[in-house]
Structure formats: structure tokens, C-alpha cells
Amino acid sequence: MTYAAPTTEQLFVLQHIARIDAMAEHERFAAATPDMVEAIVTGIGDFAAEVYAPLNRVGDTNNPKWDDGKVIMPPGFKEAYRQFVEAGWGSIDGPGAYGGQDLPFTLATVVIEALGSANMGFSLCNILTPGAIHALMAYGTEQQRATWLPKLITGEWNGTMNLTEPAAGSDVGALRSTAEKVTEGEHAGLYRIKGQKIFITFGEHDLTDNIVHLVLARTPGAPEGTRGISLFLVPKYRLDADGRPTISNGVRCASIEHKLGIHGSPTAVMIYGEDEDCLGEIVGEEMGGMRAMFVMMNNARLMIGCQGIQIGERATQQAQRFAAERVQSSLAGSPDRTPVTIDKHPDVRRMLWRMRAQTEAARALVYYAAAQVDFGKLGDEAAAMRAEILTPLAKAHATDIGCEVASLGIQVHGGMGFIEETGAAQHYRDARIAPIYEGTNGIQAADLVGRKLGMAGGDLIRGLIDDIAYGAGDDFPELSQLAEACRAVTDWMAKAPLPDRLAGSYPYLTMLATATCGWLMALQHRGAKAALEEGAGDTAFLEAKIASTRFYLQQIVPAAAGLAPAALAGDAALPEIA
């Protein structure tokens, strides 16, 4: 189960899809020089392979342990996390005023990809903290930023996101946690937090000496539903006069879950304010919690999309190695009856190319979305709005790809893939959560047709389709056909009643995401051909890139056009289940 970072591939996508060089032309990201970018991508790849990857199987088989409210991480995890903090990997895109490196979010995405490919469960500790940082930068006070950001940026403290309750899953507005303002005494201005939260990733562990929880709760008299929700910063330990986390804050981990996968990540049931006062600071305004939380949520959704790349990359590498070593049967139609390695058999080659092409497509989609966030920070409003459209595509489609590729990895292994010792099954178990958390993929599809479709009168999505159609040109007729199919469905969706839109939302999302990936793969295809003709770059890599992009455009893109009937079927095609 060894892992080697796909550094050449990552750098190629950063150049041709994310346009990292264009970001560096702006003063804000001037430090993202080619040498700096290559050093970061190479360095995190080496770190992930050497430090995180050896613990992947450890975390899967030797799970975190709950003991009287405390969680003890598996052997080696604490030391590995310490090395992550000391190396400064958590500070890549952090604001410089609070100790960050002020580099693009796109580069931080590469860091998360490398860590998660090496060890998806462990890397979840690294995923949510940046979202907490972004939420505090957007809505926190200067005092909150000065107090909490420096150690969140270094990773000395980690951040969590507390939304879900036993009776309030995806329906966040149904939550019952409360926050009552303290009006007198030394804690005046803070809020007493009471309630229970479930499914809290790294809600308790022994990697850091403090954990900063961002908790949704309802103040007295607040209206029902999401309008009445506020966001609070609730540390595991309050800080003493010297800024040290020494004061117990009424935060308790009641248990951790036993899960299908991501065993290296403790998923906690958290209790606030049960036996002692639990004090929190409001982030933003009262009843402005959802606005603040969505800053964190949108970041998390792109990072979960990145998990599709992570699992796809790890499963593909393992399947390719296995297929290149496993000898079975002679090649069909060959007069030589000598058994060959299974990567010579056509159907195995089909699976391997599909795994590779889908993983590369997911990487292009997520990097492109992250880059639009960065260009938005530079003042490009069109890029910021494009990022809004891309977020549900990246979260949903990339995680679907992760599940498909992990499943194909088991298939390539044959019967050995169903045996835990080979490790192929772990990838599939780990991948399966990604389409569920941070808003299920069905919710992403509903967001696409319910909110994103109507933005700017539908022009945002139509503008994306225009770019796809233009990028297809005369070279890729299959992509042109899919773009026009997406356009027809978009026009129908824009006029259809909401139930009809929702009924076709998932196939529509898959069509639009595949078309977007196809466009990004076409750009890479042309870039690889140009580099090959110029004699620039790694010839073997460029030839493989041309092959994988051609496979995607000729075999995966056409199939997505076949989803149009399902997207257009409407609510009547989905009768009540008897």
C-alpha cells in the first residue's frame, strides 16, 4: 500500500487548469513563483509519502480509542501531526497578518490532496481547520482573530464544525442547541451553550492541547428554522491570563462512532454545558449563523471533493501496481500461450484507464474550482461567481468518482480485492462517506437546480456551457454534443416547476460536471500535445496524458449525454414507493 505523490501531474494541472502563473502576476500572490510552487508540491508529496502514508493501515486497524471522555489516537499519529505543524504545512494559504504564508488556496488544496491520498482518515483533522480560519476572517472580530487564528493557522489547535444533532441532520434549521447571553459578571458578553452535536469530525483527540469548535445554536426568542440560528466559537479549554488553554469549558465527548471506513478519524458525539458552564463567543451577528457557517461549509465542500481525488489516486496506483505484477492467462487471440500480467488483458486495461482518466478529471475540476476562489480574492467577480456554480459540481461529482474508482480498484484485484489484507477494500470503505457528509450529493444537486440555476437569471450556468462548447471546438464532437445536451436541459430546468427540477437534478448535475471535466481534459489534451511537439517536459508523462484525456473525451463524455432523458423526465416519473 505504498504511495507516491503524482507531482508531475499536479504541476501540469496547476499550470494548464488553475493558471497558477496568472495568480502570481498579482501582488497578493506574488510569492507563488514557479520555484515556490514546485517546492511546495514536491515537498508535501514527500512528506505525505514518508510520514502520513505509513499510518494509513495503522489507523484502519488500530482505531482511535475513547476513554472516559478522552480520545487516544493510534500509535504514531501524534508524532506525525507534530511534524505537520512544525513543517508549516497548515499555514500555506493562511493570512500573513496572523502567521500564514498568504499563498493561494489552490496550493493548499494540493497539500490536502497529498495528505489525504496518503491517509484519508488522518487528513480529516487538516481539512476543517482552514474553514474555521476563513469563517473567522469573514465574520470574526479583530480580537477573535488575534486570539484564535495564529494557533489555528499553525495547526497547534484544530477547528471543528458542529451542525448536526440527533433530530437535525440535513435539516439544520431543526436544531435545538441553545445559547443564552451572559449579562453580568466576568463573562458578560459571552453565551452559555447547551446541547448535543453528533458526527463531529475530530471533535476530541490528543493531537493538540486545544480544539476550537464552531457551534450552531439558537438564542432565546429566535425564530424557528435557519433564520434563528447563530454561530459560536466554543473552545475545549478557555484561555487563562497568559493565553494558555487551561480552563475547563464544559465540553465533553460522550462517545465516538464505529464506522464503515475512515477509521483513523474519530467521529464524536459532543455534549456542551451538561455538568458545568460552557461559554462561547458569538461569531458575526445573532441569527447570522448560517451566513457565517457557509463560509466554512463551502470551503469544506471543495475539500471533500478533493477526497474524491485522494481515493481515486491511491486506488489507481495500487491497482496499476497489482495488475503489472499479477500473472494470469495468456493473451486472448495470441498464438503464444504463455500467461501474461493482467494489465495486458483488454478489460483490465479498460478499467485502469477509466480509473486514471476519472481521477485526472476530478483533479482538474477541483483545482479549477479552487482557482476560481483565488481569482475571486483578486477581485475577479466573474471567477467568484463561477466558483459558486462549481462548488456543488466538485463536491458531488468528484466524490462519486472516488467511489467508482475505488470500486474498480477492487475489481482489478479480483477476489484478492475483497480480502482486507490487500488494502483495496479500505479505499472503498473510506470513499463511501464522501458523497454523504458536508451536504449529501443529492443536496448538492438540489442546490444546483434550486439556487445556482437561478443566479443571474441562469446566465452563470449558461456561461459555463458556452465556455465548454467553445473549448470543444471542432476537435471533440462528443464534448460539443454533451454541451448542447446540457444547454437543452438547462433551458427546460429554468422553466420547470421545482418538483420536476428536483426529480432530474442528479442526472443534470452529472451531465454538467462531466461536461466541465471534459472541457478541462480537452485543455490538458491540447497542452500536452503542444508540449510534446515543442520537446518540453516528460515525454512519457505527456503521452500518457494525451491517452487519458482522449479516453475521457471519447468514452466517458458520450455516456453522460445519455442522462438527458432522466434529467427531463420530471416528478411524474418518480411515483410514490408503495
Side-chain angles (χ1 to χ4, degrees), residues 543-562:
E543 289 176 344
K545 173 62 73 173
I546 290 169
S548 65
T549 52
R550 183 185 297 116
F551 182 97
Y552 190 91
L553 288 158
Q554 294 181 349
Q555 297 203 34
I556 296 175
V557 162

Side-chain angles (χ1 to χ4, degrees), residues 397-483:
H397 192 60
T399 57
D400 282 347
I401 284 174
C403 289
E404 179 197 355
V405 172
S407 180
L408 284 171
I410 293 175
Q411 194 73 14
V412 169
H413 282 74
M416 293 304 296
F418 209 67
I419 305 301
E420 284 288 354
E421 283 76 5
T422 65
Q426 181 188 341
H427 303 320
Y428 190 62
R429 290 187 286 100
D430 286 349
R432 194 56 191 86
I433 185 59
I436 297 172
Y437 53 19
E438 307 308 342
T440 67
N441 287 1
I443 288 174
Q444 304 306 310
D447 176 52
L448 179 66
V449 303
R451 192 170 76 88
K452 304 298 171 62
L453 181 64
M455 294 174 69
D459 287 347
L460 293 182
I461 288 182
R462 290 189 178 94
L464 174 60
I465 294 171
D466 287 344
D467 287 345
I468 294 167
Y470 180 80
D474 296 328
D475 300 327
F476 305 107
E478 298 90 350
L479 182 57
S480 294
Q481 292 167 12
L482 178 57

Side-chain angles (χ1 to χ4, degrees), residues 250-310:
V251 176
R252 184 172 68 86
C253 174
S255 64
I256 56 176
E257 307 293 352
H258 302 279
K259 308 185 297 290
L260 174 68
I262 55 168
H263 292 159
S265 169
T267 303
V269 175
M270 302 300 298
I271 306 293
Y272 295 95
E274 183 179 60
D275 299 321
E276 60 178 326
D277 278 351
C278 176
L279 299 177
E281 307 173 18
I282 193 165
V283 179
E285 300 176 349
E286 278 198 27
M287 295 181 285
M290 292 305 291
R291 288 193 302 274
M293 181 58 75
F294 264 106
V295 173
M296 192 174 187
M297 177 70 82
N298 283 335
N299 176 280
R301 285 174 172 172
L302 286 180
M303 292 299 94
I304 299 309
C306 189
Q307 290 187 326
I309 311 171
Q310 296 165 13

Side-chain angles (χ1 to χ4, degrees), residues 100-149:
Q101 299 184 49
D102 269 332
L103 287 164
F105 170 58
T106 309
L107 280 179
T109 302
V110 179
V111 170
I112 291 298
E113 181 201 331
L115 296 174
S117 297
N119 192 329
M120 179 178 162
F122 188 15
S123 73
L124 280 161
C125 189
N126 310 116
I127 282 182
L128 293 180
T129 302
I133 293 167
H134 293 164
L136 289 175
M137 283 300 297
Y139 290 100
T141 65
E142 181 50 43
Q143 182 177 356
Q144 287 173 334
R145 294 172 189 164
T147 301
W148 303 104
L149 286 183

Side-chain angles (χ1 to χ4, degrees), residues 148-485:
W148 303 104
L149 286 183
K151 289 188 181 294
L152 284 172
I153 287 170
T154 63
E156 292 172 82
W157 300 340
N158 77 290
T160 76
M161 185 162 53
N162 285 238
L163 287 75
T164 307
E165 298 183 7
S170 298
D171 182 9
V172 177
L175 66 81
R176 289 291 174 261
S177 292
T178 62
E180 184 175 353
K181 192 170 187 177
V182 180
T183 57
E184 297 178 351
E186 63 173 321
H187 301 309
L190 299 179
Y191 290 75
R192 290 189 179 90
I193 310 298
K194 286 183 177 292
Q196 176 182 355
K197 298 288 183 177
I198 62 173
F199 300 155
I200 308 307
T201 299
F202 274 90
E204 169 59 24
H205 55 82
D206 60 357
L207 301 179
T208 64
D209 61 5
N210 207 3
I211 302 171
V212 180
H213 301 284
L214 289 187
V215 181
L216 289 181
R218 197 180 305 278
T219 52
E224 293 296 310
T226 56
R227 290 189 304 112
I229 293 175
S230 302
L231 180 64
F232 300 89
L233 186 154
V234 184
K236 176 180 177 181
Y237 294 107
R238 299 200 301 275
L239 308 184
D240 61 22
D242 297 320
R244 298 173 302 178
T246 60
I247 304 170
S248 177
N249 193 33
V251 176
R252 184 172 68 86
C253 174
S255 64
I256 56 176
E257 307 293 352
H258 302 279
K259 308 185 297 290
L260 174 68
I262 55 168
H263 292 159
S265 169
T267 303
V269 175
M270 302 300 298
I271 306 293
Y272 295 95
E274 183 179 60
D275 299 321
E276 60 178 326
D277 278 351
C278 176
L279 299 177
E281 307 173 18
I282 193 165
V283 179
E285 300 176 349
E286 278 198 27
M287 295 181 285
M290 292 305 291
R291 288 193 302 274
M293 181 58 75
F294 264 106
V295 173
M296 192 174 187
M297 177 70 82
N298 283 335
N299 176 280
R301 285 174 172 172
L302 286 180
M303 292 299 94
I304 299 309
C306 189
Q307 290 187 326
I309 311 171
Q310 296 165 13
I311 288 296
E313 181 64 39
R314 191 68 185 267
T316 299
Q317 286 192 20
Q318 183 166 338
Q320 287 176 336
R321 283 195 302 270
F322 179 85
E325 297 170 358
R326 176 74 165 105
V327 176
Q328 183 171 289
S329 305
S330 60
L331 197 59
S334 172
D336 184 352
R337 308 314 296 165
T338 305
V340 297
T341 53
I342 63 172
D343 60 352
K344 302 296 191 297
H345 296 298
D347 190 57
V348 175
R349 279 188 285 125
R350 174 193 65 81
M351 289 189 286
L352 292 173
W353 274 116
R354 187 173 181 91
M355 294 173 74
R356 181 168 183 162
Q358 287 280 49
T359 300
E360 290 181 7
R363 179 177 289 111
L365 178 60
V366 173
Y367 281 26
Y368 178 60
Q372 299 314 293
V373 173
D374 281 323
F375 283 115
K377 294 175 183 177
L378 297 173
D380 186 339
E381 183 61 26
M385 298 307 289
R386 175 67 57 91
E388 288 275 338
I389 298 299
L390 292 170
T391 296
L393 304 185
K395 193 281 179 183
H397 192 60
T399 57
D400 282 347
I401 284 174
C403 289
E404 179 197 355
V405 172
S407 180
L408 284 171
I410 293 175
Q411 194 73 14
V412 169
H413 282 74
M416 293 304 296
F418 209 67
I419 305 301
E420 284 288 354
E421 283 76 5
T422 65
Q426 181 188 341
H427 303 320
Y428 190 62
R429 290 187 286 100
D430 286 349
R432 194 56 191 86
I433 185 59
I436 297 172
Y437 53 19
E438 307 308 342
T440 67
N441 287 1
I443 288 174
Q444 304 306 310
D447 176 52
L448 179 66
V449 303
R451 192 170 76 88
K452 304 298 171 62
L453 181 64
M455 294 174 69
D459 287 347
L460 293 182
I461 288 182
R462 290 189 178 94
L464 174 60
I465 294 171
D466 287 344
D467 287 345
I468 294 167
Y470 180 80
D474 296 328
D475 300 327
F476 305 107
E478 298 90 350
L479 182 57
S480 294
Q481 292 167 12
L482 178 57
E484 292 313 307

